[in-house]
Amino acid sequence: QVQLVESGGGLVQAGGSLRLSCVASGRTFSSYAMAWFRQAPGKERKFVAAISTSGRMTSYADSVNGRFSISRDDAKNTVYLQMNSLRPEDTAVYYCAADLRYSRREYEYWGQGTQVTVSS
């Protein structure tokens, strides 16, 4: 089992920045690919970014490419999502996810989510 706890969400004005963190506990963090997804009110959950083990590969949704950056610190069992140039359409609950396989879709373990609200 892997337990994931997100933090760092909040209210920010358009154009601002936030950094989300996700701390993992349980089995060996470094063995897991990590990802961020988001779900806006009334919409389905969507892929945001993913990072492979050791950080060798990253992937981003087109809507955030160039503005968001995913990274990991295996010594701290933590994955980050740096979000810059935020837009009102980035408002959503952001979820951290973990899986043994790197992908943009299927993840076995999920956090509880953290709310990000971007005001115009």
Side-chain angles (χ1 to χ4, degrees):
Q1 285 283 349
V2 176
Q3 293 80 43
L4 303 170
V5 179
E6 302 98 332
S7 63
L11 174 64
V12 63
Q13 288 188 332
S17 298
L18 280 176
R19 188 177 80 156
L20 305 183
S21 300
C22 172
V23 179
S25 61
R27 294 188 179 179
T28 307
F29 176 76
S30 60
S31 299
Y32 286 81
M34 302 297 296
W36 289 93
F37 290 76
R38 67 186 182 187
Q39 187 168 20
K43 296 186 177 181
E44 63 181 16
R45 188 162 58 190
K46 292 186 177 180
F47 170 78
V48 174
I51 187 166
S52 66
T53 56
S54 300
R56 286 172 293 181
M57 294 185 288
T58 57
S59 180
Y60 296 92
D62 289 344
S63 59
V64 306
N65 197 25
R67 299 188 297 123
F68 290 11
S69 178
I70 189 171
S71 61
R72 65 188 297 157
D73 185 339
D74 289 349
K76 296 182 178 180
N77 283 10
T78 303
V79 62
Y80 303 97
L81 184 68
Q82 178 66 45
M83 306 186 294
N84 299 326
S85 302
L86 282 162
R87 305 167 180 168
E89 54 264 39
D90 294 319
T91 295
V93 177
Y94 283 71
Y95 297 91
C96 173
D99 198 276
L100 289 174
R101 197 169 76 172
Y102 172 70
S103 77
R104 294 165 66 102
R105 292 188 178 183
E106 311 239 343
Y107 281 77
E108 183 172 5
Y109 301 103
W110 294 85
Q112 83 290 349
T114 186
Q115 177 71 48
V116 172
T117 303
V118 184
S119 63
S120 57

